[in-house]
């Protein structure tokens, strides 16, 4: 898999029916190793190991319903009170991050009302904070460490 603009982490990999699988520690099962899954697993580890977010507050592929359609967020990090704090949208490294990507995560956030949004393809990372008073997003250099 491609080297990402994130620290290197150790993952459990195995082969099954000509497919490489990666063990997801949060979902407690092996997942097909797609380029997007590679980014998601790295970003989850980055949140845990570099930003100190507890595993217990992170959900992967959380389902939500928007306009009667079932959608799944890539990563949601909850605050200790259970409110969604961060939504992360992961794309494969070869996928260019466009306005459509931001529109997608913004639609999810209409439902979840998180404080921070992150869009990443593993090479580029965009961090923004919701300014609820002015109903806009402010781009940041990073997200805060877990307190």
């Amino acid at each position: 898999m491609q080297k990402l603009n994130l620290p290197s982490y150790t993952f459990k990999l195995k082969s099954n029916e000509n497919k490489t699988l990666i063990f997801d520690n949060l979902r407690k099962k092996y997942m097909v190793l797609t380029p997007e899954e590679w980014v998601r697993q790295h970003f989850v580890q980055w949140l845990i190991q570099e930003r100190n977010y507890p595993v217990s507050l992170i959900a992967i592929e959380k389902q939500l319903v928007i306009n009667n359609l079932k959608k799944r967020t890539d990563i949601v990090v909850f605050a200790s009170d259970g409110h969604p704090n961060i939504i992360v949208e992961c794309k494969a490294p070869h996928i260019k991050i466009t306005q459509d990507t931001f529109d997608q995560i913004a639609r999810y956030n209409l439902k979840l009302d998180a404080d921070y949004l992150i869009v990443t393809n593993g090479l580029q990372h965009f961090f923004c904070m919701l300014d609820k008073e002015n109903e806009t997003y402010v781009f940041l250099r990073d997200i805060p460490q877990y307190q």
Side-chain angles (χ1 to χ4, degrees), residues 29-41:
K29 63 181 180 179
Y30 280 92
M31 307 300 298
V32 174
L33 182 55
T34 62
E36 183 179 321
E37 190 65 36
W38 185 243
V39 172
R40 181 175 21 243
Q41 291 302 319

Side-chain angles (χ1 to χ4, degrees), residues 2-6 39 43 91-95 97 119-126:
Q2 182 173 351
K3 173 102 175 83
L4 302 176
N5 186 16
L6 290 162
V39 172
F43 210 85
K91 298 294 183 192
H94 69 276
I95 302 292
I97 294 174
V119 176
T120 181
N121 64 5
L123 303 174
Q124 293 182 290
H125 320 293
F126 296 93

Side-chain angles (χ1 to χ4, degrees), residues 114-115 128-138:
D115 299 316
C128 24
M129 180 178 71
L130 178 60
D131 177 350
K132 294 180 183 182
E133 188 175 309
N134 296 310
E135 296 183 354
T136 186
Y137 292 99
V138 178

Side-chain angles (χ1 to χ4, degrees), residues 3 22-23 29 35 37 57 68 71 95-96 121 139:
K3 173 102 175 83
I22 186 168
F23 188 76
K29 63 181 180 179
E37 190 65 36
L57 297 180
N68 295 322
K71 302 288 184 179
I95 302 292
K96 187 176 179 197
N121 64 5
F139 282 86

